[in-house]
């Protein structure tokens, strides 16, 4: 790790992101379960603030994973770059979704009015696929692709992309399973905070202390 102040600050932010991102997912899932009406109200707002915070942490994690791939060349370099770009575009879509959900929650007085506002927003051409269906999936595709790339390079253990895939599949089955999906993400990402902020040319240790 570099001794430069900016390098130390970036390393600290990266470590924090690997801890905070899955925990924010867990918080969002738990808050959502506590709100059977799913908004509007304090629970809706708090949950989506946690979601927004988590996605912003993943915007730090994705480039960190890209840096871990090291000085790859050719197809490997292009693949890692494409995976990072896809993940960031998907993260941006989730950010847009969270912001829209927050605005709708603040503006609406009850659930029917929320439904009306959502329908009004989603009726604009391109909004539904970009923000609610196709766009967010790019985040998961990019993240899993990067972890598979690192596993092939033997820079991370093969079970890490499997854990993220399980977390993604669990969440896709039902948003009520978000806390379980967040635990899969936590298992995959939390132990990576230390090796990802040390030397990028080192392989992942066989045993990493979170």
């Amino acid at each position: 790790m570099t001794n430069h102040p900016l390098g130390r600050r970036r390393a600290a932010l990266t470590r924090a992101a690997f801890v905070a991102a899955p925990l924010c997912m867990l918080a969002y899932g738990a808050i959502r379960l506590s709100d059977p009406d799913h908004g509007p109200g304090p629970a809706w707002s708090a949950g989506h603030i946690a979601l927004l915070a988590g996605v912003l942490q993943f915007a730090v994690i994705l480039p960190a994973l890209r840096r871990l791939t090291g000085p790859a060349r050719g197809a490997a370099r292009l693949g890692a770059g494409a995976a990072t770009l896809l993940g960031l575009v998907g993260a941006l879509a989730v950010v847009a979704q969270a912001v829209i959900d927050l605005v709708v929650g603040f503006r609406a007085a009850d659930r029917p009015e929320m439904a009306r506002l959502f329908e009004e927003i989603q009726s604009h051409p391109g909004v539904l696929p970009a923000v609610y269906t196709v766009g967010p999936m790019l985040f998961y595709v990019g993240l899993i692709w990067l972890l598979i790339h690192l596993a092939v390079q033997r820079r991370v253990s093969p079970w890490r992309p499997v854990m993220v895939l399980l977390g993604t599949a669990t969440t896709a089955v039902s948003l009520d399973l978000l806390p379980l999906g967040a635990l899969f993400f936590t298992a995959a990402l939390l132990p990576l905070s230390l090796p990802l902020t040390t030397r990028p040319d080192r392989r992942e240790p066989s045993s990493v202390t979170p």
Side-chain angles (χ1 to χ4, degrees):
M1 185 192 307
T2 178
N3 289 323
H4 194 279
L6 289 178
R8 291 198 302 270
R9 190 175 298 115
R10 185 175 74 172
L13 289 173
T14 303
R15 282 196 299 272
F18 273 87
V19 175
L23 293 183
C24 285
M25 285 181 61
L26 181 61
Y28 171 52
I31 294 171
R32 187 180 182 279
L33 287 178
S34 73
D35 180 27
D37 294 332
H38 301 313
W44 174 272
S45 299
H48 283 81
I49 289 172
L51 171 63
L52 183 59
V55 175
L56 292 176
Q57 300 302 316
F58 275 108
V60 177
I61 289 173
L62 288 163
L65 292 173
R66 170 64 183 86
R67 290 192 296 271
L68 188 63
T69 61
R73 295 183 179 181
R77 181 177 181 180
L78 289 175
T84 305
L85 180 60
L86 280 178
L88 290 173
V89 169
L92 180 61
V94 180
V95 166
Q97 183 181 143
V99 170
I100 290 172
D101 291 354
L102 280 169
V103 171
V104 168
F106 284 128
R107 290 184 58 188
D110 52 30
R111 186 65 196 182
E113 188 175 359
M114 286 181 70
R116 181 186 64 78
L117 289 172
F118 277 128
E119 184 177 358
E120 180 181 325
I121 293 169
Q122 294 172 8
S123 65
H124 289 83
V127 170
L128 193 61
V131 178
Y132 287 94
T133 55
V134 178
M137 287 305 300
L138 298 180
F139 162 70
Y140 297 103
V141 170
L143 179 60
I144 294 170
W145 185 357
L146 267 174
L147 287 171
I148 291 174
H149 185 83
L150 290 168
V152 169
Q153 291 184 323
R154 297 184 179 180
R155 292 181 181 270
V156 302
S157 301
W159 60 266
R160 298 194 188 280
V162 174
M163 287 291 103
V164 172
L165 182 60
L166 286 174
T168 302
T170 300
T171 303
V173 169
S174 172
L175 288 179
D176 290 341
L177 297 176
L178 259 170
L180 178 58
L183 292 178
F184 282 120
F185 272 76
T186 301
L189 298 177
L190 187 58
L192 283 174
S193 60
L194 292 180
L196 281 175
T197 52
T198 56
R199 292 175 56 191
D201 57 339
R202 290 178 59 186
R203 304 296 193 219
E204 180 185 11
S206 57
S207 176
V208 178
T209 302

